[in-house]
Amino acid sequence: MASRHQARSLAIQTLYQWDFYGSEPERQDYYLEQVLKGAEDMKVDKETEDFCRQLVLGISTNMVEIDDIIKRSAPKWPLEKMTLVDRNILRLGLYELLYLNPKEVPPKVAINEAIELGKDFGGLASGHFINGILGAVFEETKKIQSNESEGN
């Protein structure tokens, strides 16, 4: 049985390494493979591995847009001043929230999973910080969708 939480955890570890060493696009696959090799002991199934890959590749493909949303949503916290862990958990949460089918990953699940990852990997305030930003983005997207549906 696939564990999406496990896939998210592996994706965060991959993104952390990739970000730490400079985010060179050609190195992303290397870090993903290293994390997945390390996960062999965890008996990661194919579905979990595939979801991890989808997350990492989707985030890296949409990184510019995702980072722009983070910058606008947390103007008092420059992206480069955020911890690597918080920054990458926000990227993951925003990717799931904005780019994945909400029937596959409901928005509240994406937010709650990101908060849990913040608690697991981040500092004492990470969960609250992540919740604040993702919650604000979620509310903003709901307003936009509501306005669009009223206009049609």
Side-chain angles (χ1 to χ4, degrees), residues 111-124:
I111 293 169
N112 287 336
E113 282 288 324
I115 292 167
E116 288 304 311
L117 289 167
K119 291 177 184 176
D120 291 345
F121 292 105
L124 294 175

Side-chain angles (χ1 to χ4, degrees), residues 38-117:
E40 286 176 0
D41 294 338
M42 298 165 57
K43 307 274 190 269
V44 175
D45 63 28
K46 180 79 170 114
E47 196 175 337
T48 301
E49 184 178 322
D50 289 346
F51 187 58
C52 177
R53 284 183 192 284
Q54 177 187 0
L55 293 172
V56 171
L57 297 174
I59 292 164
S60 65
T61 299
N62 297 288
M63 184 87 70
V64 172
E65 294 87 4
I66 291 170
D67 284 356
D68 186 52
I69 293 166
I70 294 171
K71 289 174 190 173
R72 285 186 279 129
S73 302
K76 293 182 181 180
W77 286 95
L79 200 59
E80 58 279 351
K81 299 276 183 178
M82 287 181 194
T83 67
L84 290 173
V85 170
D86 290 352
R87 178 169 59 220
N88 285 294
I89 293 171
L90 285 170
R91 287 171 173 160
L92 176 96
L94 286 168
Y95 174 74
E96 289 194 87
L97 191 62
L98 301 173
Y99 293 90
L100 294 183
N101 181 340
K103 290 180 182 174
E104 182 182 337
V105 179
K108 291 186 179 189
V109 170
I111 293 169
N112 287 336
E113 282 288 324
I115 292 167
E116 288 304 311
L117 289 167

Side-chain angles (χ1 to χ4, degrees), residues 7-24 27-36 52 55-57 59-60 63 67 79-92 117-118 120-123 126 130:
R8 289 177 180 101
S9 177
L10 295 170
I12 287 302
Q13 293 172 52
T14 300
L15 293 167
Y16 179 91
Q17 286 186 44
W18 186 51
D19 201 8
F20 183 83
Y21 289 109
S23 303
E24 297 172 11
R27 300 289 289 167
Q28 167 194 313
D29 289 337
Y30 169 79
Y31 295 118
L32 179 58
E33 293 309 318
Q34 293 304 307
V35 168
L36 291 173
C52 177
L55 293 172
V56 171
L57 297 174
I59 292 164
S60 65
M63 184 87 70
D67 284 356
L79 200 59
E80 58 279 351
K81 299 276 183 178
M82 287 181 194
T83 67
L84 290 173
V85 170
D86 290 352
R87 178 169 59 220
N88 285 294
I89 293 171
L90 285 170
R91 287 171 173 160
L92 176 96
L117 289 167
D120 291 345
F121 292 105
S126 292
I130 290 162

